[in-house]
Amino acid sequence: NLFPNPSNDILTIPVFLPSEEIVEIVIYNADGAFIKTVYLGKIPEGVHFIPADVFTFDQGIYAVKITVREKIFVKKFLKRN
């Protein structure tokens, strides 16, 4: 799960990988518009906590899309001011 949720500055995105993988993490707003790429690159096997600066985001609901190979995971979070 994303934490803290709701968030007002740094959102932490946990990523659990059984082997080294190329990972893409992207944030979209509630309308599905692209906001930012948080991470794109290789991550080694293990548990990782990727920080995302959401301080400048408007208040509202956002989606974090995590892509690993052909698998897509979407988690929502609330941004509070």
Side-chain angles (χ1 to χ4, degrees):
N1 290 333
L2 307 173
F3 64 90
N5 191 3
S7 184
N8 62 3
D9 54 4
I10 301 296
L11 179 72
T12 300
I13 305 164
V15 177
F16 307 94
L17 298 172
S19 60
E20 181 179 78
E21 298 287 353
I22 294 175
V23 176
E24 180 182 36
I25 303 173
V26 179
I27 298 178
Y28 297 90
N29 68 15
D31 296 325
F34 170 84
I35 301 297
K36 77 184 280 185
T37 298
V38 175
Y39 188 89
L40 176 58
K42 284 186 181 180
I43 297 180
E45 171 186 348
V47 178
H48 305 275
F49 298 93
I50 310 298
D53 183 356
V54 299
F55 180 76
T56 60
F57 291 19
D58 292 333
Q59 184 168 304
I61 296 172
Y62 292 84
V64 176
K65 178 179 156 189
I66 303 165
T67 306
V68 180
R69 290 192 182 191
E70 295 85 33
K71 294 181 182 176
I72 297 172
F73 306 90
V74 178
K75 302 286 185 178
K76 293 184 181 177
F77 74 94
L78 176 63
K79 166 59 167 78
R80 286 200 179 149
N81 292 335

